[in-house]
Amino acid sequence: MNEHPRHRLTSEGIRLHEPADFAGMHKAGALAARILDEIIPHVVPGQTTEELDRIITQMVEDAGATSATIGYKGYKHGSCISINHVVCHGIPSQKKLKDGDILNIDVTVIVDGWFGDTSRMFVAGKMNRKAERLVQVTHDALMLGIEAVKPGNTFGDIGHAIQSYVEGHRMSVVRDFCGHGLGRVFHAPPNVLHYGRAGTGPVLEEGMFFTIEPMVNLGRPETKILADDWTAVTRDKSLSAQFEHSIGVTADGAEIFTLSPGGRFHPTFSV
Ligand code: MF3
Ligand code: CO
Ligand code: CO
């Protein structure tokens, strides 16, 4: 028992939020998702990722919100943009997108103190079939992970749902990065692993807020960090994809805070 119901923590240090807190997360999540919807027409061959980041940062400012990534551990940009074999934390640069490039754009905003963190895959021009398959499997894996979310299930159930699906398609789940608790903070307990065994790990409880953000590779799961200290790439240079939602555990399942307002959650709908 805890005498301060507004500050309930599990023994694993996972915060249990109040019903009223869902509205704050919904607002932050909706902004992050709308920004990704609105960046779609700008993702074209010849575009630089620096320009995409500039547009995103402007949209955050126009909404009266704050970017969570600018100044975070020395990071200087309003988004991470990860192209092809970049797994995550790609730094916006003057590099131009080429026809057929697939890219993940990850945006985290703060609205009234609440964090909304989401990422999706985009394509510049036309996506080839191998890339399309990877993107589809990665999105399906995220949604299957979310389907495993309800009070009484465990974090291991989420990881197991994702891993078994991905490996069933002979792709691999990245182990070096994970999802995370969030809320009034960016990164909080627990580490949300995208692999694991059913029935293991902390038990899910109503009021937990966290991200699920599986990274899936066409080749092997190993990654390495480039000399810029941020960019994570696949060691075997194989193509990588990622989708991320921020969610809250409800009485009987999950609320997704970062659903696309325009239903444009997948590059197939990015035209
Ligand atoms: N948004 C990323 C996540 O999903 C974190 C980016 S941190 C940054 O947790 F500094 F690289 F932007
Ligand atoms: Co995240
Ligand atoms: Co993110």
Side-chain angles (χ1 to χ4, degrees):
M1 290 298 277
N2 189 316
E3 290 176 42
H4 303 283
R6 299 205 148 268
H7 300 278
R8 291 180 302 148
L9 288 182
T10 69
S11 56
E12 298 94 352
I14 305 170
R15 185 167 297 281
L16 301 177
H17 297 85
E18 301 306 309
D21 298 339
F22 280 72
M25 288 300 285
H26 181 86
K27 205 171 158 193
L31 173 62
R34 178 168 67 76
I35 288 171
L36 293 186
D37 279 12
E38 291 180 0
I39 201 70
I40 292 171
H42 301 282
V43 180
V44 290
Q47 178 68 283
T48 67
T49 54
E50 200 170 71
E51 174 65 5
L52 292 174
D53 182 72
R54 191 193 63 73
I55 297 166
I56 288 166
T57 303
Q58 187 65 52
M59 289 194 279
V60 175
E61 194 188 312
D62 290 347
T66 306
S67 165
T69 55
I70 298 174
Y72 178 77
K73 294 187 178 174
Y75 195 77
K76 294 184 169 58
H77 308 270
S79 62
C80 296
I81 304 185
S82 305
I83 306 173
N84 294 336
H85 74 298
V86 178
V87 173
C88 64
H89 301 163
I91 300 175
S93 74
Q94 289 174 35
K95 195 181 153 114
K96 285 186 166 73
L97 297 175
K98 299 186 308 294
D99 186 44
D101 279 349
I102 60 166
L103 52 149
N104 176 278
I105 305 182
D106 190 338
V107 173
T108 311
V109 298
I110 313 170
V111 178
D112 302 332
W114 296 101
F115 285 68
D117 184 5
T118 187
S119 80
R120 278 182 223 158
M121 296 305 292
F122 298 79
V123 63
K126 201 169 151 27
M127 192 158 43
N128 73 50
R129 296 204 23 205
K130 228 173 43 177
E132 192 163 335
R133 209 173 140 257
L134 170 68
V135 166
Q136 186 68 55
V137 166
T138 308
H139 186 262
D140 290 347
L142 168 61
M143 299 316 284
L144 284 169
I146 294 173
E147 279 175 30
V149 175
K150 65 171 183 196
N153 280 2
T154 69
F155 280 93
D157 293 332
I158 300 172
H160 176 75
I162 293 168
Q163 181 182 19
S164 55
Y165 183 77
V166 167
E167 293 179 354
H169 286 82
R170 298 208 247 147
M171 298 178 193
S172 64
V173 174
V174 169
R175 312 290 203 271
D176 301 336
F177 300 92
C178 56
H180 49 92
L182 86 171
R184 287 194 177 277
V185 290
F186 197 172
H187 293 107
N191 287 332
V192 180
L193 306 183
H194 305 112
Y195 59 92
R197 288 181 30 223
T200 64
V203 176
L204 292 159
E205 292 184 55
E206 188 176 354
M208 289 179 174
F209 295 165
F210 54 89
T211 72
I212 306 180
E213 46 182 301
M215 287 139 274
V216 174
N217 300 345
L218 277 182
R220 295 193 49 81
E222 291 81 10
T223 70
K224 67 174 181 191
I225 310 278
L226 300 186
D228 61 24
D229 277 343
W230 282 104
T231 312
V233 299
T234 54
R235 278 193 179 266
D236 65 5
K237 303 248 172 45
S238 69
L239 215 52
S240 187
Q242 178 180 27
F243 285 86
E244 172 176 29
H245 273 313
S246 298
I247 68 170
V249 183
T250 62
D252 58 1
E255 177 179 346
I256 304 176
F257 298 126
T258 47
L259 280 179
S260 161
R264 308 184 75 179
F265 51 86
H266 186 288
T268 307
F269 304 111
S270 298
V271 187

